[in-house]
């Protein structure tokens, strides 16, 4: 009998362009980005790191609600988003708010999503995306559908969706990649492997050595990428996008990353399942530090640039939280009114009851 | 006018809408060349091409997700779940996702999806194929749940469902697929979702049912007539939302009510109907509102289903109880 597992797993070596010292180790794969674009990538990562810090603080002050910290995952999130076109469709998981913001979601609406206000999800018409999915993996099957729709419409676009390492254990993960594969639909499936599904380490999640190899079963392209290297993530997503719009089908991209913070701000304590050594080990791979070193070596980034972004982010956040807080409180009548195009009689009756209650 | 079985009427409805709107897509397990295991999609792929009518991989959750994604690209998906007993595999896509799409996005996205599925019992299927899970769906806000009982209504309601801009669960009773023919107009016409139909007028007692049980009620009413009892039969046609105007009008006329469902007694649509009647019309009642329903067991293996399923004699028994109360 012939066993194949070792052969399969050995094919999924991590793709990297910048090493931890910010040095290019894979010159041939260096994406074709202008200096301005490289600086923009850095600007977005710094901005998003500040947004994360401020969101955590605002959550602690009770001014934001549900929040899933993003620090550590900027390269995975923003490197992949940077490869998208405006008409591409994003199906994010709950930690993937930064991609929506950089694709055009106004910051105050991101805050409203956190505060549990439906206006946060009333996206601008030119933002092609769903609001963050809460059910793990549900967005994967939907992404197959969006991608098939894009293909049927003959558009040169992709559907891109995100889940985590835990998400790859869901049936919907496999159904999503398999459907997209069967229809050769233009989908990009990103798995941000941050090593923990809340507290369960990836080693307990699966016997697979890589998550990228799960693509093999569905017969689609797969790659494991250094998720702390923004250039590698960008290059992989860009290549996947090219394949997809050329009709070559979907790609599964596993990004190896780490969330520096807790799972969410709702009482998770990472010290219960992670060691300080592990945290320190991964902080050395901080995507911002690495990319900053690279840009500094090319004389593209200065402390002044950095401070300018920090100030800009802080100011935007201040304005956005103010705007979010000025939003009128969501009413039950809003909720009733958004259940159906036309209200059935039971809801009409309940609408009257709540109109009365809310007028007091 | 053409005489059709219910399944022919259902195929015809899809044909009309596939022709009428290029955004309509029909898909599911075996719906392509095979025409569906019940032949509900017979000939549609040949007529409209594989781009419009196509097979899916064998995964119900995937089918639900596919429908949602296609709807997000402006399509009007009509997925088939091969047997509604398999719906547990796709509950998140239906209840967690489609039903919430409009609210979650504040009206920005909608899910104009019609999920079709055969359901109900009495045709000796293997386990998990037959069941009456409409109560499960009716409990989910954001869904409409439609159950036709005649070929005419099946076509008109399905066309309405496909045109609806919100998700509709369209349940087709397996026993009604080929048990009789009825007149079905050619071309397009609609039957309004959310409107009940008085299938037979009467003065002494109101029988409320849907799906196959409408026919059990009509049979019971025929026999009761011989004993001088005049029964009115209401076909709900939509079990979410329920047309209480029609129900209450009849209740006020007859003052005696029996609600009939093929599903198990616990929870369920009939319980909801009884509750609304007593809240809204208790002073019009001359007797408690009774239910005819199946036992609170899981759906039985086929050898026991004839006894387990409610029938016209069970209905007659309950009618006599409310008449003699």
């Amino acid at each position: 009998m012939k066993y194949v597992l070792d052969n399969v797993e050995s094919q999924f070596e991590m793709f990297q362009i910048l090493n931890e010292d910010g040095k290019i180790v894979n010159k041939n794969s260096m994406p074709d980005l202008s200096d301005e674009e490289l600086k923009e990538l850095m600007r977005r990562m710094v901005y998003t790191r500040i947004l994360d810090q401020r969101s955590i603080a605002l959550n602690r002050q009770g001014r934001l609600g549900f929040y899933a910290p993003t620090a550590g995952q900027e390269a995975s999130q923003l490197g992949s988003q940077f490869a998208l076109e405006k008409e591409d469709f994003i199906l994010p998981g709950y930690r993937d708010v930064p991609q929506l913001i950089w694709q055009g979601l106004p910051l105050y609406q991101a805050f409203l999503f956190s505060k549990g206000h439906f206006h946060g999800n009333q996206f601008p018409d030119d933002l092609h995306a769903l609001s963050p999915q809460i059910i793990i993996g549900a967005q994967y099957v939907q992404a197959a559908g969006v991608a098939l729709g894009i293909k049927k419409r003959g558009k040169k676009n992709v559907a891109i969706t995100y889940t985590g390492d835990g998400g790859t254990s869901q049936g919907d993960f496999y159904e999503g990649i398999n459907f997209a594969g069967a229809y050769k639909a233009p989908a990009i499936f990103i798995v941000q492997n941050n090593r923990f599904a809340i507290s369960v380490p990836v080693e307990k999640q699966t016997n697979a050595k890589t998550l990228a190899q799960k693509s093999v079963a569905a017969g689609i392209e797969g790659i494991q990428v250094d998720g702390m290297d923004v250039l590698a993530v960008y290059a992989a997503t860009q290549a996947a996008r090219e394949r997809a719009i050329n009709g070559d089908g979907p790609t599964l991209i596993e990004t190896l990353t780490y969330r520096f913070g807790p799972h969410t701000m709702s009482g998770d304590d990472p010290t219960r399942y992670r060691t300080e050594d592990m945290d320190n080990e991964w902080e050395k791979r901080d995507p911002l530090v690495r990319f900053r070193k690279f840009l500094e070596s090319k004389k593209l980034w200065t402390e002044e640039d950095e401070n300018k972004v920090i100030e800009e982010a802080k100011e935007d956040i201040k304005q956005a939280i103010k705007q979010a807080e000025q939003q009128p409180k969501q009413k039950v009548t809003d909720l009733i009114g958004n259940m159906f195009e036309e209200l059935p009689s039971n809801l009409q009756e309940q609408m009257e009851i709540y109109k009365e209650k809310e007028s007091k | 006018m053409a005489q059709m079985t219910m399944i022919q009427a259902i195929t015809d409805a899809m044909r009309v809408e596939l022709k009428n709107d290029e955004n309509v897509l029909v898909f599911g397990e075996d719906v392509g060349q095979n025409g569906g295991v019940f032949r509900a999609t017979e000939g549609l792929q040949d007529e409209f091409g594989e781009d419009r009518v196509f097979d899916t991989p064998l995964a119900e959750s995937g089918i639900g997700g596919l429908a949602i994604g296609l709807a997000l690209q402006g399509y009007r998906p009509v997925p088939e779940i091969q047997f509604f007993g398999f719906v547990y595999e796709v509950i998140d896509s239906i209840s967690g996702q489609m039903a919430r799409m409009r609210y979650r996005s504040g009206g920005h996205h909608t899910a104009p999806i019609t999920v079709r599925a055969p359901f109900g019992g009495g045709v000796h299927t293997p386990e998990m194929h037959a069941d009456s899970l409409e109560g499960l769906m009716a409990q989910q806000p954001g869904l409409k749940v439609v159950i036709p009982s005649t070929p005419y209504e099946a076509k008109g309601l399905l066309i309405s469902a496909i045109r609806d801009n919100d998700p509709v669960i369209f349940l087709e009773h397996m026993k009604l697929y080929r048990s009789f023919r009825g007149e079905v107009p050619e071309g397009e016409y609609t039957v309004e979702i959310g409107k009940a139909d008085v299938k037979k007028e009467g003065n002494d007692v109101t029988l409320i049912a849907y799906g196959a049980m409408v026919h059990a009620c009509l049979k019971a009413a025929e026999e009761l007539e011989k004993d001088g009892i005049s029964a009115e039969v209401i076909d709900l046609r939509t079990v979410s939302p329920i047309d209480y105007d029609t129900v209450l009008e009849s209740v006020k006329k007859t003052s005696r009510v029996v609600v009939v469902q093929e599903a198990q007694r616990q929870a369920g649509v009939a319980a909801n109907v009884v509750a609304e009647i007593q809240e809204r019309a208790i002073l019009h009642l001359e007797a408690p509102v009774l239910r005819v329903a199946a036992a609170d067991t899981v759906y039985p293996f086929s050898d026991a289903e004839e006894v387990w399923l409610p029938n016209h004699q069970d209905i007659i028994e309950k009618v006599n109880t409310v008449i003699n109360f």
Side-chain angles (χ1 to χ4, degrees):
Chain A
M1 190 186 268
K2 193 179 162 207
Y3 291 94
V4 296
L5 194 56
D6 284 347
N7 287 340
V8 169
E9 292 188 327
S10 65
Q11 290 170 35
F12 289 91
E13 271 178 33
M14 186 180 79
F15 171 65
Q16 189 184 54
I17 293 177
L18 281 185
N19 69 11
E20 285 171 37
D21 302 323
K23 298 254 170 20
I24 295 178
V25 293
N26 188 351
K27 209 173 164 197
N28 293 340
S29 300
M30 183 66 192
D32 183 22
L33 289 169
S34 68
D35 287 352
E36 280 315 303
E37 286 170 321
L38 291 170
K39 286 178 75 172
E40 176 61 16
L41 256 180
M42 186 65 198
R43 189 181 81 83
R44 291 183 181 193
M45 290 208 290
V46 173
Y47 190 110
T48 304
R49 180 67 61 88
I50 297 299
L51 175 61
D52 185 61
Q53 290 166 359
R54 290 297 301 141
S55 297
I56 288 169
L58 288 164
N59 170 282
R60 289 197 174 120
Q61 293 163 20
R63 294 172 76 189
L64 281 184
F66 172 78
Y67 183 69
T70 58
Q73 298 189 204
E74 292 90 346
S76 293
Q77 296 181 323
L78 306 181
S80 54
Q81 187 275 332
F82 203 66
L84 301 181
E85 297 292 333
K86 190 70 188 164
E87 300 288 320
D88 292 338
F89 199 105
I90 304 181
L91 297 96
Y94 49 77
R95 204 182 305 283
D96 303 311
V97 178
Q99 294 96 306
L100 293 175
I101 292 170
W102 293 110
Q103 194 78 0
L105 179 67
L107 201 46
Y108 87 98
Q109 285 189 276
F111 287 153
L112 283 172
F113 164 73
S114 169
K115 286 160 70 70
H117 193 299
F118 81 105
H119 180 54
N121 293 346
Q122 280 179 320
F123 288 178
D125 286 338
D126 65 348
L127 171 58
H128 303 282
L130 282 183
S131 56
Q133 180 58 249
I134 300 299
I135 299 300
I136 307 298
Q139 67 274 34
Y140 261 52
V141 283
Q142 294 168 14
V146 173
L148 180 59
I150 287 171
K151 184 178 175 178
K152 283 184 182 297
R153 295 279 184 218
K155 297 189 218 168
K156 291 285 175 204
N157 288 105
V158 297
I160 185 168
T161 187
Y162 295 84
T163 191
D165 35 312
T168 65
S169 297
Q170 289 278 7
D172 274 358
F173 166 82
Y174 177 71
E175 291 186 31
I177 62 172
N178 186 58
F179 270 59
Y183 295 122
K184 271 205 167 187
I188 302 175
F189 297 98
I190 306 247
V191 174
Q192 296 180 74
N193 176 1
N194 67 15
R195 312 218 60 86
F196 291 90
I198 302 189
S199 69
V200 178
V202 67
E203 294 77 17
K204 288 187 181 170
Q205 200 67 244
T206 177
N207 193 45
K209 283 206 187 79
T210 72
L211 302 177
Q213 77 197 55
K214 296 194 176 203
S215 60
V216 174
I220 68 169
E221 195 56 72
I223 182 172
Q224 187 188 59
V225 180
D226 182 345
M228 306 304 252
D229 171 4
V230 73
L231 293 180
V233 176
Y234 172 82
T237 312
Q238 171 79 4
R241 193 178 180 283
E242 284 300 312
R243 288 191 77 248
I245 63 174
N246 289 334
D248 296 329
T251 303
L252 177 68
I253 301 174
E254 175 191 11
T255 67
L256 294 177
T257 183
Y258 200 74
R259 71 170 142 78
F260 295 153
H263 164 65
T264 69
M265 293 304 293
S266 315
D268 180 46
D269 173 11
T271 64
R272 293 171 76 97
Y273 53 87
R274 293 195 312 218
T275 62
E276 220 181 303
D277 282 352
M278 193 174 186
D279 285 348
N280 292 338
E281 189 62 31
W282 278 92
E283 270 167 31
K284 278 190 233 157
R285 301 175 195 161
D286 188 325
L288 274 67
V289 172
R290 182 185 311 196
F291 197 51
R292 192 184 289 117
K293 279 182 189 164
F294 168 72
L295 290 184
E296 281 170 355
S297 74
K298 289 181 64 119
K299 307 242 179 296
L300 289 174
W301 197 254
T302 62
E303 204 179 326
E304 200 183 318
D305 291 322
E306 181 104 1
N307 288 334
K308 206 177 126 201
V309 184
I310 293 171
E311 286 317 306
E312 180 199 0
K314 284 183 175 168
E315 185 55 31
D316 287 355
I317 292 162
K318 210 161 85 184
Q319 295 300 329
I321 191 73
K322 203 193 275 176
Q323 195 180 349
E325 285 171 343
Q326 281 165 355
Q327 186 74 21
K329 205 172 150 49
Q330 182 181 299
K331 297 186 187 122
V332 177
T333 45
D334 294 328
L335 163 51
I336 292 173
N338 276 316
M339 287 307 299
F340 292 99
E341 184 175 41
E342 281 175 51
L343 287 189
S345 59
N346 55 330
L347 283 174
Q348 277 173 22
E349 204 176 294
Q350 290 156 26
M351 182 70 115
E352 292 311 312
I353 293 168
Y354 279 93
K355 267 188 188 161
E356 174 72 19
K357 278 189 184 181
E358 287 170 351
S359 69
K360 280 173 192 161
Chain B
M1 218 180 287
Q3 290 280 322
M4 288 188 191
T5 61
M6 195 164 100
I7 198 141
Q8 288 170 331
I10 285 164
T11 311
D12 200 37
M14 285 188 273
R15 183 180 295 115
V16 166
E17 285 309 277
L18 279 161
K19 210 175 279 178
N20 186 47
D21 181 352
E22 62 182 18
N23 289 317
V24 172
L25 300 175
V26 171
F27 54 90
E29 297 156 6
D30 306 294
V31 309
Q33 269 313 299
N34 195 43
V37 293
F38 285 97
R39 308 288 177 257
T41 54
E42 176 97 65
L44 295 181
Q45 190 178 66
D46 284 343
E47 191 172 345
F48 297 97
E50 207 177 336
D51 196 44
R52 308 277 311 281
V53 180
F54 52 94
D55 289 325
T56 63
L58 204 167
E60 285 76 16
S61 185
I63 292 170
L66 197 73
I68 293 164
L70 287 165
L72 289 166
Q73 286 297 311
Y75 287 101
R76 210 165 264 281
V78 188
E80 175 180 291
I81 300 300
Q82 197 159 67
F83 289 87
F84 206 59
F86 308 162
V87 73
Y88 299 107
E89 295 286 338
V90 59
I91 289 282
D92 178 59
S93 281
I94 293 175
S95 300
Q97 311 295 329
M98 291 177 202
R100 291 166 172 265
M101 189 64 79
R102 184 182 287 278
Y103 167 64
R104 183 183 291 156
S105 65
H108 187 68
H109 295 301
T110 56
I113 298 166
T114 302
V115 179
R116 285 183 45 250
F119 88 115
V123 294
H124 303 291
T125 52
E127 201 191 358
M128 300 304 295
H129 288 66
D131 218 335
S132 292
L133 301 173
E134 68 279 4
L136 192 68
M137 293 291 104
Q139 205 197 356
Q140 175 60 52
L143 299 177
K144 295 176 185 176
V145 184
V146 175
I147 303 177
S149 70
T150 67
Y152 171 83
E153 285 156 322
K155 180 174 169 185
L157 284 166
L158 183 52
I159 291 175
S160 294
I162 294 170
R163 293 180 184 180
D164 202 289
N165 286 329
D166 288 301
V168 178
I169 309 300
F170 193 87
L171 300 178
E172 304 160 1
H173 200 288
M174 286 187 272
K175 204 163 183 179
L176 300 183
Y177 268 157
R178 292 185 170 86
S179 57
F180 65 98
R181 286 171 187 270
E183 288 197 343
V184 176
E186 275 177 35
E188 59 179 294
Y189 68 92
T190 57
V191 172
E192 191 181 342
I193 292 174
K195 277 271 176 283
D197 181 49
V198 179
K199 281 279 181 297
K200 177 189 169 299
E201 288 192 25
N203 297 310
D204 301 327
V205 62
T206 300
L207 302 177
I208 301 169
Y210 51 91
M213 284 297 118
V214 171
H215 300 281
C217 286
L218 288 169
K219 194 170 175 189
E222 207 175 298
E223 298 212 359
L224 286 162
E225 209 78 58
K226 294 174 196 158
D227 297 331
I229 297 169
S230 157
E232 180 145 302
V233 177
I234 294 180
D235 178 359
L236 290 177
R237 301 198 296 196
T238 302
V239 300
S240 182
I242 290 173
D243 174 8
Y244 285 111
D245 289 344
T246 302
V247 167
L248 292 171
E249 198 182 316
S250 178
V251 168
K252 287 172 187 171
K253 180 169 76 173
T254 65
S255 305
R256 291 179 167 85
V257 189
V258 176
V259 189
V260 184
Q261 68 180 22
E262 186 177 306
Q264 295 84 342
R265 183 180 167 93
Q266 63 189 36
V269 171
N272 196 29
V273 173
V274 175
E276 293 283 343
I277 291 171
Q278 71 85 21
E279 278 192 37
R280 291 166 195 267
I282 196 160
L283 294 178
H284 292 272
L285 293 173
E286 296 289 347
V289 180
L290 297 186
R291 274 178 291 170
V292 173
D296 292 330
T297 65
V298 296
Y299 193 91
F301 296 139
S302 57
D303 205 34
E305 67 182 344
E306 289 308 328
V307 184
W308 186 84
L309 287 167
N311 60 32
H312 69 284
Q313 276 150 350
D314 300 324
I315 299 166
I316 291 168
E317 208 173 289
K318 297 284 179 173
V319 168
N320 285 326
T321 308
V322 297
I323 294 283
N324 298 321
F325 183 77

